[in-house]
Amino acid sequence: MEFIIRKAGYEDIPGIMAVMKDAQKAMEHPEWFCSDREEYMKKHIETYGFTIVAEPVSGSSIAGNSLTGSSLAGSSLAGFFLIKFPGLSEENLGHLLNYSEEELQRTVHMDMAVVHPSWQGNGLQSRMLRKAEEVLADSPVPRNRLLATVHPDNRYSLHNMQSNGYEIVKTAVLYGGLPRYVLQKIL
């Protein structure tokens, strides 16, 4: 299956929201995922970070059916990965790891990865993660402390993150009482 993995623009917001909505409806364990509203997503296109999207190459199909017959008919996106620059804010996960102020400034949250249920199994989370890391490596602002959170029972996301060099460095209760592994990768 071929996909274009690229940085998102504001025109991708409707597709991002459609992917999030469909993925949340299909989740067996909704506690694994904390969704957000459109306004939050808009802020992370350029202002507070960036977003990577996976777009199927024209003519690709879902499970052998054309896109026009799927629930993705109104969206051209298969998934997205939101990257956040938390800076010195209280929500910076680096505070949990006793980062210095300098380290907090270089921290990036690999914040939210969502793949539409119809496109799962194509390695998109890992592919979008690698693209995000490429974008960060080319950035004029050094940001080399990459942090993510994963629900302890979400073996798919945990495997994807660990196979890309992220290590569990802490277990915490976050997001209003939800258990999470905090993962770190230093570039």
Side-chain angles (χ1 to χ4, degrees):
M1 193 66 57
E2 291 185 54
F3 296 89
I4 297 168
I5 310 294
R6 61 175 174 79
K7 276 182 80 172
Y10 290 108
E11 69 279 3
D12 293 309
I13 293 291
I16 289 169
M17 298 309 294
V19 168
M20 187 163 26
K21 179 182 170 189
D22 287 351
Q24 201 162 20
K25 276 195 268 181
M27 288 200 102
E28 182 179 346
H29 302 284
E31 68 275 11
W32 290 358
F33 179 67
C34 295
S35 67
D36 266 296
R37 293 181 286 186
E38 188 171 334
E39 193 57 38
Y40 181 83
M41 304 310 281
K42 285 179 182 176
K43 289 178 182 178
H44 291 85
I45 293 293
E46 292 177 358
T47 309
Y48 298 114
F50 62 93
T51 302
I52 299 295
V53 293
E55 183 176 19
V57 171
S58 182
S60 292
S61 63
I62 301 172
N65 298 321
S66 72
L67 283 174
T68 56
S70 78
S71 62
L72 274 180
S75 169
S76 62
L77 300 181
F80 68 91
F81 207 129
L82 188 140
I83 312 305
K84 181 177 185 176
F85 302 147
L88 297 175
S89 71
E90 288 181 21
E91 65 187 26
N92 189 324
L93 296 167
H95 290 294
L96 296 172
L97 306 175
N98 299 313
Y99 279 6
S100 69
E101 187 171 307
E102 181 184 339
E103 291 168 328
L104 291 170
Q105 292 283 21
R106 294 191 322 233
T107 297
V108 178
H109 288 182
M110 309 311 270
D111 195 48
M112 181 187 309
V114 181
V115 175
H116 191 279
S118 299
W119 292 107
Q120 290 174 357
N122 286 288
L124 290 176
Q125 182 177 353
S126 286
R127 291 162 72 177
M128 291 186 293
L129 176 65
R130 287 191 295 272
K131 179 65 174 180
E133 289 178 359
E134 287 175 24
V135 170
L136 290 167
D138 291 340
S139 173
V141 178
R143 299 186 200 277
N144 66 342
R145 296 197 169 265
L146 313 183
L147 299 175
T149 62
V150 176
H151 190 283
D153 295 331
N154 187 343
R155 67 181 189 272
Y156 302 108
S157 284
L158 184 59
H159 172 76
N160 281 326
M161 298 306 287
Q162 289 179 316
S163 67
N164 281 285
Y166 290 74
E167 297 178 2
I168 297 170
V169 291
K170 188 168 191 76
T171 302
V173 176
L174 303 169
Y175 316 122
L178 300 172
R180 292 290 188 265
Y181 286 142
V182 178
L183 295 101
Q184 172 183 259
K185 179 176 181 178
I186 299 176
L187 296 177

